[in-house]
Amino acid sequence: MSADTKPDPIAQMEKIVSLCKRRGFIYQSSEIYGGCGGVWDYGPLGAELKRNLRDAWWKAMTRDREDVVGLDACILMNPAIWKASGHVDTFADLMRECSLTNKRVRADHVEPQAGVIMNYTGAESPTGWKLDRVLSVLIKKGEHIESFRKRVRLLIASNAGDSAGKPEEIVLLNETKSDEVTASVDFHPETGGALGAARPFNLMLKTYLGPTATEADVTYLRPETAQAIFAQFKNVLDSSRVKVPFGICQIGKAFRNEVTPKNFTFRSREFEQMELEFFIKPDEAVEIISGEVAAWSEGADLTEPQPNWGWQMWHRYWVDQRTKFYQSIGLGDVLEYYWQTPEDLAHYARACVDILCEFPFGTEELEGIAARGAFDLTAHQNASTKSQEVFDEDLKNAAAKLTPEQKEALIQKRLAAEQAKVKGEPMPEAEVRAWFERLFKGNYVPHVIEPSAGLDRMALAIIAKAFDETVKTDDKGKSETITVLRFHPRVAPIKCGVFPLLKNKPELVAKAREVYALLKTHMNCFYDETASIGRRYARQDEAGTPFGVTIDFDTLGEKGPELLNTVTVRERDSNAQHRIPISELLGWLQARL
Ligand code: ATP
């Protein structure tokens, strides 16, 4: 937004959704059949944008590092993985159902409603259809009683199907008025119908693997990419030259049967995740090897990982790394952080920070970075009965030098920590002692730090941040609102537009095609020879293209040899124009991408 005032969030989202469709960023899935709830397709520009984000993440997380390797696992896996991980039993949102329409809403997503509660003992229609249950519906302030009744009849009819007959003939029985409410979360935000009690709703999408399609063949579309990393941990460890601390990262599709998909692609039922599992030594192992565990304090140096880092420093390090990543793609100034409180945290988690981003509809989670202890690998070790331990020679050697008193002191410290746990059961003493026995021999199940980001949310955040409108007034005083997507050049779907000044001058066109051919093997470019040059710039501004190259008569040397084979490069955001020799053009652009 150019002006200081904040735009109306709903209008802003409508503009973004409409631009995304018009310019081929994002389309509703199955649109010609009326859509498919919570599922979105990416058009030509959206596909390029997503690819750029995916590549940027992959480069930052693995290619640029020596301590992270990649994985590309399948969406379908043995359902035992989802049982062991806890997803079958607990991957659920609490949902509530509208008593009028059976529409579901996530219990924590109910916006507070105001109005007066109207009650009916039931409803019936001349077809003989009957609804034999108490209905409570909220009539909103300013809603006329007759239009309210009509609305309720329509909602009942659409839920009942043909058997209820015509909506206008439905009779609402024994109407009474009860309390006025001002901020109640007990009514469906769309229908006003009273909501039932909260019930867990498992978010995993079920499917069958194999042709018999019996209950024994049930499996799930993965609700996160992380579990495949844990399940393949040992294979990666055994087949790559990695040593703890190291990470495995993966990008891929995930599926969740979200109760209320909403806010465009923000909460979808099919989406892409970019996850890293970074495996670290338990703090006790660090203490034995390094003689201490570096404590976190504000301003601690996070630039280079150190051997004495425990989970806290590693967690902070990844929050810092991920923040730097967001800064590198132009989201640095719209981030906030929510540190989960001990009450928010899952019982196994030691810390979790949500990186939040400012969207038009509010400040919401973009990525979660959790310190998950050894929970996941231990769960798979127990369920599969395959050891997930690593052997650490340095640890074994360092432990061999400890006196029995020093060993006992470590055990006592851990026992005290178990007793001080806020959530979950303390580990029994016998188990603690057995764990230390393995540790002193150099064996442990690694702990993990998990930065988990959503690609679709990232793409939406980038589009929302880039969205801008400017008003342009031409020579005749006619004003027009122009949309500009101010993408960071690194993620922009098209990096450069190439324009011959005129399309009916073969020499200009030939030169422009030559420039286009030169650039397009190195970056995504767009060649355009139709309409005025101003129109072509505007089209590319709307697509978020940071640079435009114009080939004019000067390029052909018509104004003299000094401008021969030079082009004009226009910068989208500053409108600055530079005259650059074609021989230097590629390097000039590459330095800015
Ligand atoms: P939320 O609280 O918003 O439902 P979550 O905490 O369940 O998210 P995680 O399980 O931590 O999310 O998933 C990691 C990341 O995956 C999220 O930060 C988000 O970017 C992305 N993600 C999760 N669910 C969805 C979804 N339904 N649609 C799009 N992206 C999602």
Side-chain angles (χ1 to χ4, degrees), residues 91 93 106 223-224 256 258 265-273 275 354 364-368 450 452-457:
F91 191 59
D93 278 339
R106 235 173 87 164
E224 61 173 37
R256 294 183 189 179
E258 295 282 356
T265 54
F266 179 85
R267 189 172 300 286
S268 313
R269 291 189 169 125
E270 175 175 341
F271 56 97
E272 227 167 314
Q273 281 187 319
E275 297 195 295
D354 294 339
E364 299 278 354
E365 178 181 328
L366 195 57
E367 165 159 357
E450 178 190 78
S452 169
L455 177 54
D456 307 78
R457 282 190 191 177

PDB file of all heavy atoms in Angstrom, residues 91 93 106 223-224 256 258 265-273 275 354 364-368 450 452-457, ligand 1:
ATOM      1  N   PHE A  91      -4.117 -36.934  16.175  1.00  0.00           N
ATOM      2  CA  PHE A  91      -4.006 -35.806  15.233  1.00  0.00           C
ATOM      3  C   PHE A  91      -5.408 -35.314  14.882  1.00  0.00           C
ATOM      4  O   PHE A  91      -5.968 -35.578  13.828  1.00  0.00           O
ATOM      5  CB  PHE A  91      -3.250 -36.236  13.969  1.00  0.00           C
ATOM      6  CG  PHE A  91      -2.882 -35.071  13.102  1.00  0.00           C
ATOM      7  CD1 PHE A  91      -2.099 -34.043  13.583  1.00  0.00           C
ATOM      8  CD2 PHE A  91      -3.313 -34.990  11.791  1.00  0.00           C
ATOM      9  CE1 PHE A  91      -1.762 -32.954  12.802  1.00  0.00           C
ATOM     10  CE2 PHE A  91      -2.977 -33.913  10.994  1.00  0.00           C
ATOM     11  CZ  PHE A  91      -2.198 -32.900  11.494  1.00  0.00           C
ATOM     12  N   ASP A  93      -8.470 -32.110  15.477  1.00  0.00           N
ATOM     13  CA  ASP A  93      -8.890 -30.791  15.943  1.00  0.00           C
ATOM     14  C   ASP A  93     -10.222 -30.980  16.641  1.00  0.00           C
ATOM     15  O   ASP A  93     -11.014 -31.838  16.249  1.00  0.00           O
ATOM     16  CB  ASP A  93      -9.109 -29.844  14.753  1.00  0.00           C
ATOM     17  CG  ASP A  93      -7.812 -29.238  14.273  1.00  0.00           C
ATOM     18  OD1 ASP A  93      -6.849 -29.215  15.063  1.00  0.00           O
ATOM     19  OD2 ASP A  93      -7.770 -28.790  13.115  1.00  0.00           O
ATOM     20  N   ARG A 106     -14.150 -25.439  13.388  1.00  0.00           N
ATOM     21  CA  ARG A 106     -13.130 -25.771  14.380  1.00  0.00           C
ATOM     22  C   ARG A 106     -13.455 -25.043  15.667  1.00  0.00           C
ATOM     23  O   ARG A 106     -13.714 -23.836  15.650  1.00  0.00           O
ATOM     24  CB  ARG A 106     -11.751 -25.340  13.867  1.00  0.00           C
ATOM     25  CG  ARG A 106     -10.776 -26.497  13.879  1.00  0.00           C
ATOM     26  CD  ARG A 106      -9.510 -26.123  13.229  1.00  0.00           C
ATOM     27  NE  ARG A 106      -8.602 -25.507  14.185  1.00  0.00           N
ATOM     28  CZ  ARG A 106      -7.306 -25.358  13.967  1.00  0.00           C
ATOM     29  NH1 ARG A 106      -6.780 -25.780  12.833  1.00  0.00           N
ATOM     30  NH2 ARG A 106      -6.520 -24.801  14.854  1.00  0.00           N
ATOM     31  N   PRO A 223      -0.079 -36.481   6.599  1.00  0.00           N
ATOM     32  CA  PRO A 223      -0.484 -35.146   7.065  1.00  0.00           C
ATOM     33  C   PRO A 223       0.719 -34.239   7.319  1.00  0.00           C
ATOM     34  O   PRO A 223       0.550 -33.078   7.655  1.00  0.00           O
ATOM     35  CB  PRO A 223      -1.214 -35.450   8.374  1.00  0.00           C
ATOM     36  CG  PRO A 223      -0.560 -36.697   8.876  1.00  0.00           C
ATOM     37  CD  PRO A 223      -0.104 -37.482   7.687  1.00  0.00           C
ATOM     38  N   GLU A 224       1.918 -34.790   7.190  1.00  0.00           N
ATOM     39  CA  GLU A 224       3.148 -33.998   7.322  1.00  0.00           C
ATOM     40  C   GLU A 224       4.266 -34.790   6.655  1.00  0.00           C
ATOM     41  O   GLU A 224       4.166 -36.011   6.509  1.00  0.00           O
ATOM     42  CB  GLU A 224       3.486 -33.730   8.785  1.00  0.00           C
ATOM     43  CG  GLU A 224       3.717 -34.999   9.593  1.00  0.00           C
ATOM     44  CD  GLU A 224       4.213 -34.723  11.006  1.00  0.00           C
ATOM     45  OE1 GLU A 224       3.787 -33.744  11.623  1.00  0.00           O
ATOM     46  OE2 GLU A 224       5.061 -35.527  11.480  1.00  0.00           O
ATOM     47  N   ARG A 256      -4.451 -32.573   4.879  1.00  0.00           N
ATOM     48  CA  ARG A 256      -5.196 -32.551   6.152  1.00  0.00           C
ATOM     49  C   ARG A 256      -6.651 -32.233   5.845  1.00  0.00           C
ATOM     50  O   ARG A 256      -6.927 -31.271   5.126  1.00  0.00           O
ATOM     51  CB  ARG A 256      -4.632 -31.474   7.102  1.00  0.00           C
ATOM     52  CG  ARG A 256      -3.236 -31.786   7.550  1.00  0.00           C
ATOM     53  CD  ARG A 256      -2.691 -30.773   8.528  1.00  0.00           C
ATOM     54  NE  ARG A 256      -1.278 -31.033   8.732  1.00  0.00           N
ATOM     55  CZ  ARG A 256      -0.481 -30.342   9.510  1.00  0.00           C
ATOM     56  NH1 ARG A 256      -0.973 -29.318  10.202  1.00  0.00           N
ATOM     57  NH2 ARG A 256       0.791 -30.636   9.633  1.00  0.00           N
ATOM     58  N   GLU A 258      -8.914 -30.498   6.862  1.00  0.00           N
ATOM     59  CA  GLU A 258      -9.199 -29.344   7.727  1.00  0.00           C
ATOM     60  C   GLU A 258     -10.706 -29.165   7.878  1.00  0.00           C
ATOM     61  O   GLU A 258     -11.449 -29.242   6.895  1.00  0.00           O
ATOM     62  CB  GLU A 258      -8.598 -28.070   7.133  1.00  0.00           C
ATOM     63  CG  GLU A 258      -7.082 -28.055   7.056  1.00  0.00           C
ATOM     64  CD  GLU A 258      -6.407 -27.756   8.391  1.00  0.00           C
ATOM     65  OE1 GLU A 258      -7.116 -27.489   9.372  1.00  0.00           O
ATOM     66  OE2 GLU A 258      -5.157 -27.801   8.426  1.00  0.00           O
ATOM     67  N   THR A 265      -5.444 -19.793   0.230  1.00  0.00           N
ATOM     68  CA  THR A 265      -4.597 -20.985   0.338  1.00  0.00           C
ATOM     69  C   THR A 265      -4.011 -21.164   1.733  1.00  0.00           C
ATOM     70  O   THR A 265      -3.321 -22.150   1.979  1.00  0.00           O
ATOM     71  CB  THR A 265      -3.419 -20.869  -0.642  1.00  0.00           C
ATOM     72  OG1 THR A 265      -2.757 -19.631  -0.375  1.00  0.00           O
ATOM     73  CG2 THR A 265      -3.886 -20.886  -2.075  1.00  0.00           C
ATOM     74  N   PHE A 266      -4.278 -20.214   2.639  1.00  0.00           N
ATOM     75  CA  PHE A 266      -3.631 -20.251   3.955  1.00  0.00           C
ATOM     76  C   PHE A 266      -3.902 -21.569   4.669  1.00  0.00           C
ATOM     77  O   PHE A 266      -3.008 -22.185   5.234  1.00  0.00           O
ATOM     78  CB  PHE A 266      -4.094 -19.076   4.825  1.00  0.00           C
ATOM     79  CG  PHE A 266      -3.468 -19.106   6.190  1.00  0.00           C
ATOM     80  CD1 PHE A 266      -2.219 -18.554   6.391  1.00  0.00           C
ATOM     81  CD2 PHE A 266      -4.102 -19.713   7.258  1.00  0.00           C
ATOM     82  CE1 PHE A 266      -1.608 -18.607   7.637  1.00  0.00           C
ATOM     83  CE2 PHE A 266      -3.506 -19.770   8.510  1.00  0.00           C
ATOM     84  CZ  PHE A 266      -2.258 -19.208   8.691  1.00  0.00           C
ATOM     85  N   ARG A 267      -5.167 -21.965   4.676  1.00  0.00           N
ATOM     86  CA  ARG A 267      -5.514 -23.252   5.297  1.00  0.00           C
ATOM     87  C   ARG A 267      -6.174 -24.120   4.235  1.00  0.00           C
ATOM     88  O   ARG A 267      -7.357 -23.987   3.953  1.00  0.00           O
ATOM     89  CB  ARG A 267      -6.443 -23.036   6.489  1.00  0.00           C
ATOM     90  CG  ARG A 267      -6.663 -24.300   7.294  1.00  0.00           C
ATOM     91  CD  ARG A 267      -7.410 -24.032   8.575  1.00  0.00           C
ATOM     92  NE  ARG A 267      -6.703 -23.104   9.443  1.00  0.00           N
ATOM     93  CZ  ARG A 267      -5.617 -23.413  10.142  1.00  0.00           C
ATOM     94  NH1 ARG A 267      -5.114 -24.617  10.096  1.00  0.00           N
ATOM     95  NH2 ARG A 267      -5.026 -22.498  10.881  1.00  0.00           N
ATOM     96  N   SER A 268      -5.388 -24.980   3.617  1.00  0.00           N
ATOM     97  CA  SER A 268      -5.889 -25.829   2.538  1.00  0.00           C
ATOM     98  C   SER A 268      -5.944 -27.273   3.016  1.00  0.00           C
ATOM     99  O   SER A 268      -5.393 -27.616   4.063  1.00  0.00           O
ATOM    100  CB  SER A 268      -4.951 -25.771   1.331  1.00  0.00           C
ATOM    101  OG  SER A 268      -4.608 -24.453   1.029  1.00  0.00           O
ATOM    102  N   ARG A 269      -6.579 -28.101   2.203  1.00  0.00           N
ATOM    103  CA  ARG A 269      -6.611 -29.535   2.562  1.00  0.00           C
ATOM    104  C   ARG A 269      -5.467 -30.291   1.894  1.00  0.00           C
ATOM    105  O   ARG A 269      -5.106 -31.358   2.333  1.00  0.00           O
ATOM    106  CB  ARG A 269      -7.969 -30.125   2.183  1.00  0.00           C
ATOM    107  CG  ARG A 269      -9.067 -29.565   3.094  1.00  0.00           C
ATOM    108  CD  ARG A 269     -10.382 -30.289   2.891  1.00  0.00           C
ATOM    109  NE  ARG A 269     -11.323 -29.914   3.925  1.00  0.00           N
ATOM    110  CZ  ARG A 269     -12.533 -29.423   3.706  1.00  0.00           C
ATOM    111  NH1 ARG A 269     -12.961 -29.241   2.463  1.00  0.00           N
ATOM    112  NH2 ARG A 269     -13.321 -29.115   4.705  1.00  0.00           N
ATOM    113  N   GLU A 270      -4.957 -29.731   0.802  1.00  0.00           N
ATOM    114  CA  GLU A 270      -3.746 -30.285   0.187  1.00  0.00           C
ATOM    115  C   GLU A 270      -2.756 -29.131   0.109  1.00  0.00           C
ATOM    116  O   GLU A 270      -3.100 -28.055  -0.382  1.00  0.00           O
ATOM    117  CB  GLU A 270      -4.060 -30.808  -1.219  1.00  0.00           C
ATOM    118  CG  GLU A 270      -2.815 -31.276  -1.932  1.00  0.00           C
ATOM    119  CD  GLU A 270      -3.099 -31.923  -3.297  1.00  0.00           C
ATOM    120  OE1 GLU A 270      -4.243 -32.344  -3.546  1.00  0.00           O
ATOM    121  OE2 GLU A 270      -2.153 -32.001  -4.088  1.00  0.00           O
ATOM    122  N   PHE A 271      -1.558 -29.346   0.621  1.00  0.00           N
ATOM    123  CA  PHE A 271      -0.578 -28.265   0.627  1.00  0.00           C
ATOM    124  C   PHE A 271       0.824 -28.855   0.622  1.00  0.00           C
ATOM    125  O   PHE A 271       0.993 -30.073   0.661  1.00  0.00           O
ATOM    126  CB  PHE A 271      -0.796 -27.338   1.833  1.00  0.00           C
ATOM    127  CG  PHE A 271      -0.781 -28.045   3.161  1.00  0.00           C
ATOM    128  CD1 PHE A 271       0.361 -28.081   3.946  1.00  0.00           C
ATOM    129  CD2 PHE A 271      -1.914 -28.688   3.634  1.00  0.00           C
ATOM    130  CE1 PHE A 271       0.386 -28.739   5.164  1.00  0.00           C
ATOM    131  CE2 PHE A 271      -1.907 -29.363   4.859  1.00  0.00           C
ATOM    132  CZ  PHE A 271      -0.755 -29.382   5.623  1.00  0.00           C
ATOM    133  N   GLU A 272       1.793 -27.988   0.533  1.00  0.00           N
ATOM    134  CA  GLU A 272       3.164 -28.472   0.472  1.00  0.00           C
ATOM    135  C   GLU A 272       3.924 -28.000   1.703  1.00  0.00           C
ATOM    136  O   GLU A 272       3.805 -26.842   2.099  1.00  0.00           O
ATOM    137  CB  GLU A 272       3.818 -27.906  -0.796  1.00  0.00           C
ATOM    138  CG  GLU A 272       4.553 -28.955  -1.564  1.00  0.00           C
ATOM    139  CD  GLU A 272       4.931 -28.490  -2.952  1.00  0.00           C
ATOM    140  OE1 GLU A 272       4.071 -27.912  -3.645  1.00  0.00           O
ATOM    141  OE2 GLU A 272       6.094 -28.697  -3.329  1.00  0.00           O
ATOM    142  N   GLN A 273       4.703 -28.901   2.258  1.00  0.00           N
ATOM    143  CA  GLN A 273       5.513 -28.542   3.431  1.00  0.00           C
ATOM    144  C   GLN A 273       6.994 -28.595   3.087  1.00  0.00           C
ATOM    145  O   GLN A 273       7.412 -29.339   2.192  1.00  0.00           O
ATOM    146  CB  GLN A 273       5.246 -29.518   4.576  1.00  0.00           C
ATOM    147  CG  GLN A 273       3.959 -29.242   5.323  1.00  0.00           C
ATOM    148  CD  GLN A 273       3.831 -30.128   6.540  1.00  0.00           C
ATOM    149  OE1 GLN A 273       4.158 -31.299   6.488  1.00  0.00           O
ATOM    150  NE2 GLN A 273       3.340 -29.574   7.636  1.00  0.00           N
ATOM    151  N   GLU A 275      10.248 -29.236   5.369  1.00  0.00           N
ATOM    152  CA  GLU A 275      10.595 -29.554   6.759  1.00  0.00           C
ATOM    153  C   GLU A 275      12.036 -30.016   6.890  1.00  0.00           C
ATOM    154  O   GLU A 275      12.562 -30.715   6.025  1.00  0.00           O
ATOM    155  CB  GLU A 275       9.656 -30.638   7.297  1.00  0.00           C
ATOM    156  CG  GLU A 275       8.205 -30.158   7.341  1.00  0.00           C
ATOM    157  CD  GLU A 275       7.305 -31.040   8.174  1.00  0.00           C
ATOM    158  OE1 GLU A 275       7.117 -32.209   7.783  1.00  0.00           O
ATOM    159  OE2 GLU A 275       6.786 -30.577   9.197  1.00  0.00           O
ATOM    160  N   ASP A 354       6.468 -20.124  16.999  1.00  0.00           N
ATOM    161  CA  ASP A 354       5.779 -19.965  15.720  1.00  0.00           C
ATOM    162  C   ASP A 354       6.289 -18.682  15.092  1.00  0.00           C
ATOM    163  O   ASP A 354       6.267 -17.626  15.735  1.00  0.00           O
ATOM    164  CB  ASP A 354       4.256 -19.829  15.923  1.00  0.00           C
ATOM    165  CG  ASP A 354       3.650 -21.118  16.482  1.00  0.00           C
ATOM    166  OD1 ASP A 354       4.288 -22.175  16.339  1.00  0.00           O
ATOM    167  OD2 ASP A 354       2.543 -21.043  17.057  1.00  0.00           O
ATOM    168  N   GLU A 364      -0.590 -14.472  11.321  1.00  0.00           N
ATOM    169  CA  GLU A 364      -0.811 -15.913  11.473  1.00  0.00           C
ATOM    170  C   GLU A 364       0.475 -16.690  11.250  1.00  0.00           C
ATOM    171  O   GLU A 364       1.419 -16.184  10.650  1.00  0.00           O
ATOM    172  CB  GLU A 364      -1.846 -16.391  10.432  1.00  0.00           C
ATOM    173  CG  GLU A 364      -3.205 -15.748  10.550  1.00  0.00           C
ATOM    174  CD  GLU A 364      -4.089 -16.382  11.608  1.00  0.00           C
ATOM    175  OE1 GLU A 364      -3.697 -17.400  12.197  1.00  0.00           O
ATOM    176  OE2 GLU A 364      -5.179 -15.845  11.849  1.00  0.00           O
ATOM    177  N   GLU A 365       0.430 -17.974  11.652  1.00  0.00           N
ATOM    178  CA  GLU A 365       1.635 -18.829  11.582  1.00  0.00           C
ATOM    179  C   GLU A 365       2.081 -19.124  10.151  1.00  0.00           C
ATOM    180  O   GLU A 365       1.299 -19.509   9.297  1.00  0.00           O
ATOM    181  CB  GLU A 365       1.339 -20.159  12.287  1.00  0.00           C
ATOM    182  CG  GLU A 365       2.504 -21.119  12.229  1.00  0.00           C
ATOM    183  CD  GLU A 365       2.231 -22.459  12.900  1.00  0.00           C
ATOM    184  OE1 GLU A 365       1.469 -22.506  13.880  1.00  0.00           O
ATOM    185  OE2 GLU A 365       2.792 -23.467  12.424  1.00  0.00           O
ATOM    186  N   LEU A 366       3.382 -18.922   9.957  1.00  0.00           N
ATOM    187  CA  LEU A 366       4.009 -19.234   8.672  1.00  0.00           C
ATOM    188  C   LEU A 366       4.847 -20.500   8.827  1.00  0.00           C
ATOM    189  O   LEU A 366       4.928 -21.321   7.932  1.00  0.00           O
ATOM    190  CB  LEU A 366       4.931 -18.053   8.334  1.00  0.00           C
ATOM    191  CG  LEU A 366       5.480 -17.869   6.952  1.00  0.00           C
ATOM    192  CD1 LEU A 366       4.359 -17.774   5.944  1.00  0.00           C
ATOM    193  CD2 LEU A 366       6.304 -16.581   6.913  1.00  0.00           C
ATOM    194  N   GLU A 367       5.461 -20.614   9.980  1.00  0.00           N
ATOM    195  CA  GLU A 367       6.378 -21.734  10.227  1.00  0.00           C
ATOM    196  C   GLU A 367       6.441 -22.011  11.724  1.00  0.00           C
ATOM    197  O   GLU A 367       6.352 -21.087  12.531  1.00  0.00           O
ATOM    198  CB  GLU A 367       7.762 -21.330   9.699  1.00  0.00           C
ATOM    199  CG  GLU A 367       8.890 -22.193  10.180  1.00  0.00           C
ATOM    200  CD  GLU A 367      10.135 -22.139   9.306  1.00  0.00           C
ATOM    201  OE1 GLU A 367      10.115 -21.447   8.262  1.00  0.00           O
ATOM    202  OE2 GLU A 367      11.118 -22.795   9.664  1.00  0.00           O
ATOM    203  N   GLY A 368       6.614 -23.266  12.078  1.00  0.00           N
ATOM    204  CA  GLY A 368       6.814 -23.615  13.490  1.00  0.00           C
ATOM    205  C   GLY A 368       8.211 -24.199  13.648  1.00  0.00           C
ATOM    206  O   GLY A 368       8.664 -24.969  12.789  1.00  0.00           O
ATOM    207  N   GLU A 450      13.041 -29.084  14.837  1.00  0.00           N
ATOM    208  CA  GLU A 450      12.247 -29.214  13.608  1.00  0.00           C
ATOM    209  C   GLU A 450      11.721 -27.871  13.109  1.00  0.00           C
ATOM    210  O   GLU A 450      10.704 -27.398  13.591  1.00  0.00           O
ATOM    211  CB  GLU A 450      11.063 -30.156  13.869  1.00  0.00           C
ATOM    212  CG  GLU A 450      10.153 -30.332  12.674  1.00  0.00           C
ATOM    213  CD  GLU A 450       8.879 -31.066  13.029  1.00  0.00           C
ATOM    214  OE1 GLU A 450       7.970 -30.443  13.618  1.00  0.00           O
ATOM    215  OE2 GLU A 450       8.791 -32.259  12.734  1.00  0.00           O
ATOM    216  N   SER A 452       9.548 -26.269  10.512  1.00  0.00           N
ATOM    217  CA  SER A 452       8.545 -26.819   9.596  1.00  0.00           C
ATOM    218  C   SER A 452       7.747 -25.677   8.972  1.00  0.00           C
ATOM    219  O   SER A 452       7.007 -24.969   9.640  1.00  0.00           O
ATOM    220  CB  SER A 452       7.624 -27.729  10.417  1.00  0.00           C
ATOM    221  OG  SER A 452       6.503 -28.085   9.662  1.00  0.00           O
ATOM    222  N   ALA A 453       7.933 -25.508   7.648  1.00  0.00           N
ATOM    223  CA  ALA A 453       7.306 -24.368   6.960  1.00  0.00           C
ATOM    224  C   ALA A 453       6.313 -24.860   5.918  1.00  0.00           C
ATOM    225  O   ALA A 453       6.433 -25.967   5.410  1.00  0.00           O
ATOM    226  CB  ALA A 453       8.384 -23.532   6.278  1.00  0.00           C
ATOM    227  N   GLY A 454       5.348 -24.012   5.594  1.00  0.00           N
ATOM    228  CA  GLY A 454       4.363 -24.331   4.563  1.00  0.00           C
ATOM    229  C   GLY A 454       4.657 -23.498   3.319  1.00  0.00           C
ATOM    230  O   GLY A 454       4.737 -22.278   3.394  1.00  0.00           O
ATOM    231  N   LEU A 455       4.820 -24.206   2.193  1.00  0.00           N
ATOM    232  CA  LEU A 455       5.159 -23.500   0.949  1.00  0.00           C
ATOM    233  C   LEU A 455       4.005 -22.622   0.462  1.00  0.00           C
ATOM    234  O   LEU A 455       4.215 -21.511  -0.017  1.00  0.00           O
ATOM    235  CB  LEU A 455       5.539 -24.544  -0.118  1.00  0.00           C
ATOM    236  CG  LEU A 455       5.861 -24.049  -1.521  1.00  0.00           C
ATOM    237  CD1 LEU A 455       6.934 -22.977  -1.517  1.00  0.00           C
ATOM    238  CD2 LEU A 455       6.312 -25.209  -2.393  1.00  0.00           C
ATOM    239  N   ASP A 456       2.779 -23.124   0.601  1.00  0.00           N
ATOM    240  CA  ASP A 456       1.632 -22.359   0.096  1.00  0.00           C
ATOM    241  C   ASP A 456       1.412 -21.100   0.931  1.00  0.00           C
ATOM    242  O   ASP A 456       1.105 -20.037   0.400  1.00  0.00           O
ATOM    243  CB  ASP A 456       0.380 -23.235   0.112  1.00  0.00           C
ATOM    244  CG  ASP A 456       0.645 -24.530  -0.609  1.00  0.00           C
ATOM    245  OD1 ASP A 456       1.290 -25.425  -0.005  1.00  0.00           O
ATOM    246  OD2 ASP A 456       0.263 -24.640  -1.769  1.00  0.00           O
ATOM    247  N   ARG A 457       1.614 -21.245   2.244  1.00  0.00           N
ATOM    248  CA  ARG A 457       1.493 -20.054   3.105  1.00  0.00           C
ATOM    249  C   ARG A 457       2.580 -19.058   2.774  1.00  0.00           C
ATOM    250  O   ARG A 457       2.354 -17.842   2.804  1.00  0.00           O
ATOM    251  CB  ARG A 457       1.595 -20.442   4.574  1.00  0.00           C
ATOM    252  CG  ARG A 457       0.313 -21.025   5.073  1.00  0.00           C
ATOM    253  CD  ARG A 457       0.322 -21.180   6.568  1.00  0.00           C
ATOM    254  NE  ARG A 457      -0.835 -21.984   6.944  1.00  0.00           N
ATOM    255  CZ  ARG A 457      -1.105 -22.375   8.171  1.00  0.00           C
ATOM    256  NH1 ARG A 457      -0.293 -22.036   9.156  1.00  0.00           N
ATOM    257  NH2 ARG A 457      -2.173 -23.088   8.429  1.00  0.00           N
TER     258      ARG A 457
HETATM  259  P1  ATP B   1      -2.129 -24.421  12.234  1.00  0.00           P
HETATM  260  O1  ATP B   1      -2.010 -24.188  13.719  1.00  0.00           O
HETATM  261  O2  ATP B   1      -2.167 -23.168  11.413  1.00  0.00           O
HETATM  262  O3  ATP B   1      -3.174 -25.426  11.859  1.00  0.00           O
HETATM  263  P2  ATP B   1      -0.067 -26.295  12.600  1.00  0.00           P
HETATM  264  O4  ATP B   1       0.608 -25.755  13.822  1.00  0.00           O
HETATM  265  O5  ATP B   1      -0.965 -27.460  12.703  1.00  0.00           O
HETATM  266  O6  ATP B   1      -0.761 -25.099  11.800  1.00  0.00           O
HETATM  267  P3  ATP B   1       2.194 -27.650  11.646  1.00  0.00           P
HETATM  268  O7  ATP B   1       1.633 -28.987  11.851  1.00  0.00           O
HETATM  269  O8  ATP B   1       3.234 -27.157  12.583  1.00  0.00           O
HETATM  270  O9  ATP B   1       1.027 -26.598  11.531  1.00  0.00           O
HETATM  271  O10 ATP B   1       2.711 -27.554  10.150  1.00  0.00           O
HETATM  272  C1  ATP B   1       3.852 -26.818   9.775  1.00  0.00           C
HETATM  273  C2  ATP B   1       3.527 -25.795   8.735  1.00  0.00           C
HETATM  274  O11 ATP B   1       2.779 -26.379   7.656  1.00  0.00           O
HETATM  275  C3  ATP B   1       2.661 -24.643   9.222  1.00  0.00           C
HETATM  276  O12 ATP B   1       3.438 -23.651   9.854  1.00  0.00           O
HETATM  277  C4  ATP B   1       2.068 -24.135   7.925  1.00  0.00           C
HETATM  278  O13 ATP B   1       2.964 -23.272   7.240  1.00  0.00           O
HETATM  279  C5  ATP B   1       1.897 -25.404   7.115  1.00  0.00           C
HETATM  280  N1  ATP B   1       0.511 -25.868   7.189  1.00  0.00           N
HETATM  281  C6  ATP B   1      -0.046 -26.608   8.162  1.00  0.00           C
HETATM  282  N2  ATP B   1      -1.346 -26.838   7.904  1.00  0.00           N
HETATM  283  C7  ATP B   1      -1.614 -26.221   6.717  1.00  0.00           C
HETATM  284  C8  ATP B   1      -2.777 -26.098   5.908  1.00  0.00           C
HETATM  285  N3  ATP B   1      -3.913 -26.682   6.236  1.00  0.00           N
HETATM  286  N4  ATP B   1      -2.684 -25.382   4.757  1.00  0.00           N
HETATM  287  C9  ATP B   1      -1.531 -24.799   4.388  1.00  0.00           C
HETATM  288  N5  ATP B   1      -0.399 -24.891   5.115  1.00  0.00           N
HETATM  289  C10 ATP B   1      -0.426 -25.591   6.264  1.00  0.00           C
END
